[in-house]
Amino acid sequence: MRVLAVLFAAVCLMSSTGARADVSAVLVEDLVDGNVIPAYRAFESKTAALSQAVDAACAQDALATETVKAVFAEAWIAWAGARHVVKGPVTYFDRQFRIEFWPDGRNRIERALNDLRVAGGEPEIAAAVVGVQGFPALERLIYEGEGANDCFIARPIAANLHGMAAEILIEWTEGDSPFRKALVSPGGGAGVYFSYSESLTALMTGAVASLEGILRLRLKRPLGEESGIVRPERAEAWRSGLSMDLIRADLATVADFYHGGAEEGEAPRGLDAALRDSGETDLADLMTKAFRVTRDTADKIDRPLREAVVDPALRPVLEELVTQVSALKALIIQKVGPALGIAGGFNALDGD
């Protein structure tokens, strides 16, 4: 496996053709219409199913049914398919944090849920503290809660998740000034972006942030990279066992973003097409291979991250995954961005 690390390191030193592509309308449309909006449509659909399933289970004096667990997993994975978007409606009214308040290092969610139990009566979740509005709070109710006794909290949380998903989709696609228009028609009066380069920068910032989230939060925290102490319960979604599924969804989403939603065998779209059109064929081939190899490594981890981090046999695989995700992020920042004429400025780590 070290061979892959050496390969990635060597490729990070590769030179480009020197060409700089002009960011086109087609490229931005590929990313928005081929990846971002389909991701939000899936998120809206899956949270609708979640809300309906929770309502149905609670009507039968139950909550943690197999159906609820299944649709809960699908909804959270759908969110992982959309959380690489860090601009636009998802940022309005703190929706990102309301949908998924995590990490929760001070156990605020549990305290807030207990406060709601003590208060009684169906809470106005959208006006409640951020920690009880999203997936981590609902996960606790489903996997550790008091069953149907928690329905008076679980129902509004599920409904609130769907409400936010629906609002985000509407604000991207409908009305006089949908956020889609701000990106695909920069300078057209929306006053958010003034060039296709700015639109692309905003979109790629999210892709880089997603990879950074996998590295810093989802892998290194439970692996205890800084402390040297493995901490399984620092894995995301460890209660439901969805941690690796969410990482796989993150990787699949960024790969889909890179390819502009194109399926294997279809004509290149998105960043892949833009690189090839500008003569960066070697870099485009490398990116496609890097995504495939990294996702293959993630697929080798055949159990929830909470269990994987304490299995000595899987430690090398997890460390290889860290190396490969780090290389992917470096390639986007150091090679893909500059090849498309947006060197610097889209790195999520610099605060842009």
Side-chain angles (χ1 to χ4, degrees), residues 26 28 35 60 65 117 137 162 169 193 203-204 217-218 225 232 261 302 323 331-332 342 346:
V26 170
V28 174
N35 172 265
Q60 300 297 318
T65 65
R117 290 185 177 112
H162 178 231
L169 180 60
Y193 303 109
L203 291 165
M204 290 185 66
L217 298 178
R218 296 177 174 86
E225 180 157 306
D302 59 355
T323 299
L331 282 169
I332 293 174
I342 57 169
F346 68 87

Side-chain angles (χ1 to χ4, degrees), residues 38-109:
Y40 279 133
R41 290 196 192 284
F43 181 44
E44 189 278 333
S45 173
K46 295 300 183 182
T47 52
L50 173 62
S51 182
Q52 292 166 6
V54 170
D55 280 346
C58 288
Q60 300 297 318
D61 291 327
L63 175 58
T65 65
E66 291 307 310
T67 297
V68 167
K69 290 179 179 178
V71 294
F72 174 78
E74 291 175 358
W76 202 341
I77 289 170
W79 166 240
R83 62 187 176 188
H84 64 301
V85 184
V86 297
K87 305 289 185 181
V90 76
T91 67
Y92 305 164
F93 314 111
D94 290 328
R95 284 172 178 151
Q96 280 174 306
F97 303 107
R98 292 163 61 198
I99 292 169
E100 184 173 4
F101 181 75
W102 182 81
D104 177 21
R106 298 183 179 180
N107 204 24
R108 293 174 179 172
I109 294 174

